[in-house]
Amino acid sequence: MSQKLNILTVAGDGIGPEVTGEAVRVLQSVADLGGYNFAFREELIGGVAIRAHGKPLPDSTVKAALDSDAVLLGAVGSNEFNALPPGQRPEAGLLKIRAELGGFANLRPSFAWPGLSQNSPLRAEVVEGADILFVRELLGGLYFGEPRQWDKDQGAAWNTMRYTRDEVVRVAKVAFELASKRRKKVTSVDKANVLEVSQLWRATVTEVAKAYPDVALEHQYVDAMAMHLMNQPRSYDVVLTENLFGDILSDEAGVITGSLGMLPSATIGGKVNLYEPVHGSAPDIAGKGIANPLGAILTAAMVLRYSAGLEDEATAIETAVKQVVSDGYRTADLARGDQSAKVTSTTEMGSKVREVLVGARAQAPAAR
Ligand code: NAD
């Protein structure tokens, strides 16, 4: 267990600073309650970095990130820079920091929240109880494979889906390790009926599974999986897949939760882990104080779980979020005109989570 944790925050643009502020305050509460020393340092990324330094990821941010124990990112993106070429836009900073930190396993939990099932377009009886952890390979596959080209003279374009055995082994091990601490099931998703790269994937995952006899392994084709996820999301525990399939399926599974503002993520396995809520900078609501901070707060829980080994504290944050939601508190995105909802601002929602955390701690000795 790490008593001292150096956390770099790169809050970025739009609602990034609003939601990251709440995540940091929750982490500070955890530190105060547990006697931990969490040190926070802030650096720039995205549009704010372009304004200050002329580029979306200044060298100072990269250095601070590599010197930290964990990087907590808000969101990047600002309409002001939409006319810039892709490589100079705020979003380029995000891709670059991911590459600099080198994480290869992207973890995206997706679960149904008690009391929020009406926010999902899926029927309550289908989503209730769903609790899936996606493990998406992030540094290989079609997004990085060479050759890649759009040859305008030939009127043709091509990309390459390529994996090495070692790339599959390392991400599969992450999935099996995580599954062994959860409900002990890995569903590996591929397209092995058509693609050789998927045949390598399937054979390698099957081989890795032998070292985890207590974890059940099943294979699914990606097309079937897209359907099963919506029909029977409760059937899945850890879903392991390659880069492109994971990108699509984890977004699809976001509908189980019902709001983009509730989804956390972590990218692990590199030099320093990178933590970010799934949502973007939401320029349409930035500065209004109404952004949902729960995705960022749940991301903070992942910082404690994966960079500090503070499993109890991570669970305490998640339990506090569940409590606040089941007590009826809702930011505007969750309330959706529900007259019975206790509509809160971003900061009020953060305060509610902290109140529950502190209250749970105060009751803990009596419960023992
Ligand atoms: P977005 O996630 O910013 O917003 C989509 C919709 O969801 C908007 O209506 C927004 O108001 C709402 N929303 C998102 N997060 C919310 C929250 N926490 N609380 C309440 N409502 C929330 O996606 P977009 O509109 O497609 O993109 C806006 C900008 O963000 C673009 O510049 C895009 O490139 C960037 N972006 C960044 C990231 C990232 O930093 N990881 C991810 C996606 C998009």
Side-chain angles (χ1 to χ4, degrees), residues 15 75-77 91 94 260-261 276 279-285 291-292 333:
I15 63 169
V76 298
E91 292 82 349
L94 184 60
L260 199 50
E276 44 183 323
H279 63 74
S281 58
D284 52 335
I285 58 165
N292 184 345
D333 57 308

Side-chain angles (χ1 to χ4, degrees), residues 9-264:
T9 64
V10 277
D13 304 315
I15 63 169
E18 300 169 48
V19 299
T20 306
E22 295 312 312
V24 166
R25 278 187 272 281
V26 166
L27 285 170
Q28 192 55 60
S29 287
V30 169
D32 295 344
L33 289 168
Y36 303 118
N37 180 4
F38 297 165
F40 298 94
R41 174 174 171 184
E42 289 175 34
E43 288 289 343
L44 301 180
I45 193 169
V48 285
I50 297 175
R51 275 182 225 113
H53 297 281
K55 53 183 183 175
L57 186 67
D59 297 344
S60 49
T61 301
V62 175
K63 182 169 183 321
L66 291 171
D67 286 344
S68 71
D69 298 316
V71 178
L72 179 61
L73 192 141
V76 298
S78 165
N79 293 336
E80 180 189 338
F81 301 109
N82 282 354
L84 289 177
Q88 294 169 27
R89 288 174 54 155
E91 292 82 349
L94 184 60
L95 297 182
K96 189 152 186 271
I97 197 166
R98 286 178 183 160
E100 291 281 356
L101 298 181
F104 59 82
N106 180 229
L107 315 186
R108 267 175 71 164
S110 185
F111 43 92
W113 288 87
L116 280 185
S117 53
Q118 77 284 357
N119 286 43
S120 171
L122 300 177
R123 288 199 312 279
E125 67 264 30
V126 173
V127 291
E128 271 166 13
D131 176 1
I132 306 172
L133 178 61
F134 280 86
V135 178
R136 168 191 169 195
E137 202 291 328
L138 204 64
L139 291 184
L142 204 55
Y143 293 1
F144 292 91
E146 297 284 349
R148 57 187 300 156
Q149 194 176 341
W150 179 7
D151 185 330
K152 292 187 176 151
D153 296 335
Q154 278 190 49
W158 51 92
N159 291 90
T160 303
M161 188 186 267
R162 182 175 193 280
Y163 271 104
T164 64
R165 186 183 166 280
D166 288 353
E167 284 171 329
V168 183
V169 167
R170 66 182 186 177
V171 73
K173 280 184 177 166
V174 170
F176 281 97
E177 291 291 336
L178 291 170
S180 67
K181 294 180 201 127
R182 291 172 46 104
R183 301 193 311 281
K184 301 189 174 14
K185 179 177 173 187
V186 169
T187 303
S188 175
V189 180
D190 61 41
K191 188 69 183 163
N193 49 344
V194 178
L195 302 174
E196 285 79 2
V197 67
S198 281
Q199 289 161 8
L200 168 90
W201 180 279
R202 188 174 283 219
T204 309
V205 172
T206 305
E207 196 186 309
V208 171
K210 289 182 186 150
Y212 300 88
D214 60 331
V215 178
L217 168 65
E218 70 170 7
H219 301 281
Q220 288 284 356
Y221 296 133
V222 62
D223 42 349
M225 188 66 183
M227 190 177 63
H228 295 326
L229 264 180
M230 298 294 99
N231 282 334
Q232 48 183 54
R234 269 195 299 271
S235 309
Y236 302 104
D237 177 16
V238 172
V239 175
L240 164 67
T241 190
E242 61 89 55
N243 205 342
L244 171 69
F245 300 160
D247 193 3
I248 297 168
L249 292 179
S250 61
D251 264 24
E252 186 196 9
V255 307
I256 294 167
T257 299
S259 171
L260 199 50
M262 301 286 289
L263 295 169

